[in-house]
Amino acid sequence: MPMFFKPDDAETRRVELVEELTELVGSLEGGSVSGIITTDALSQAILQYSAIANALNSEVPAYYLSPANSFSLKLLSKLTEKRDVLLGRIYSMDDLLGALKRVEDDSLVFVAGFSVLMGRSAEGMLALRRIVDDRNLMLVLSHSTLELNELDLTGEFRRLFIIPGLFELLMVMRTNSYRGHYRLNLSIIKAPPDFIRNIGEHSIPIDSRAKLFLG
């Protein structure tokens, strides 16, 4: 049975995903799900460490879940002095749903390698969405791939994330460099209502952030 409520913007917790992107896509909010594809290691590092560092700096509990050993406290320390992120290893959709039931309410949960988890299904995605709403989580599902059909990004999001309509933000991130300068190239497929004007292609300079990870 559906439940109705009045939104209270004053009580919504927010965490910036990557500071340079805030004007384009806003901040992560409680009760939101973001699906982000990265096409290179640098864009994935910028995404996951920036989001987690911003959560910790805002006193928001942060969790990192992945099927691989792919987290570095050394890289996190480039963005924050805080180290109290909690790590978890997951291998299936059931593992992810179980983990989401154990994290603190109102927290950030970053999932790397989501699309290699076993047992992903439409039913699992709906169950995931319900947990995020019930616990007011900020959930980021990410997947890094070198093989992406740039001519059918909508189809790629459907293949990797099953039900794109359940997400507040859908985006592809890529980095490139030329003569020592770095840019972050974005394809924003879906954005929160206040930022729908920014759906499309963008390229922004990101020298200082890129060099933090490469230096």
Side-chain angles (χ1 to χ4, degrees):
M1 182 176 179
M3 301 295 291
F4 295 94
F5 62 93
K6 290 184 177 180
D8 187 350
D9 188 64
E11 294 185 0
T12 301
R13 301 185 77 173
R14 293 180 173 85
V15 170
E16 288 185 296
L17 186 64
V18 181
E19 289 90 323
E20 290 87 345
L21 302 185
T22 304
E23 290 188 2
L24 291 174
V25 298
S27 300
L28 302 173
E29 296 187 1
S32 68
V33 184
S34 301
I36 303 176
I37 301 170
T38 60
T39 64
D40 57 274
L42 179 56
S43 60
Q44 180 68 23
I46 289 172
L47 172 67
Q48 67 185 35
Y49 294 108
S50 297
I52 291 171
N54 289 337
L56 295 177
N57 288 335
S58 299
E59 304 298 330
V60 171
Y63 300 82
Y64 177 85
L65 304 174
S66 173
N69 183 17
S70 55
F71 194 86
S72 167
L73 287 174
K74 181 179 179 180
L75 289 181
L76 180 65
S77 69
K78 293 177 179 288
L79 298 175
T80 180
E81 295 181 357
K82 299 184 178 182
R83 300 167 62 92
D84 46 347
V85 58
L86 292 176
L87 310 182
R89 196 69 63 84
I90 55 173
Y91 306 98
S92 68
M93 191 71 183
D94 286 343
D95 290 344
L96 174 55
L97 294 174
L100 294 179
K101 293 176 182 177
R102 298 182 64 183
V103 302
E104 291 186 49
D105 290 354
D106 307 303
S107 61
L108 169 75
V109 182
F110 191 102
V111 180
F114 168 75
S115 298
V116 303
L117 298 181
M118 296 190 323
R120 293 178 302 114
S121 65
E123 293 80 4
M125 293 301 298
L126 288 168
L128 177 150
R129 178 78 240 194
R130 181 183 292 274
I131 296 171
V132 168
D133 290 338
D134 289 345
R135 309 203 64 191
N136 202 42
L137 303 177
M138 289 166 272
L139 177 64
V140 179
L141 303 180
S142 75
H143 186 73
S144 186
T145 179
L146 298 176
E147 299 179 357
L148 188 68
N149 184 355
E150 297 280 1
L151 299 178
D152 184 19
L153 291 181
T154 301
E156 290 290 85
F157 278 104
R158 189 178 300 111
R159 176 176 68 87
L160 295 173
F161 297 114
I162 314 296
I163 309 180
L166 296 179
F167 293 72
E168 278 71 32
L169 173 65
L170 294 171
M171 181 170 60
V172 180
M173 296 176 57
R174 321 163 187 81
T175 56
N176 65 15
S177 63
Y178 180 70
R179 293 185 176 180
H181 294 287
Y182 293 84
R183 298 191 72 86
L184 187 60
N185 301 314
L186 310 168
S187 297
I188 301 173
I189 307 301
K190 186 177 182 182
D194 291 341
F195 297 89
I196 58 174
R197 65 187 180 277
N198 294 324
I199 289 174
E201 303 297 318
H202 301 270
S203 181
I204 60 175
I206 200 164
D207 278 353
S208 59
R209 190 168 296 268
K211 290 174 182 178
L212 279 175
F213 294 98
L214 300 174

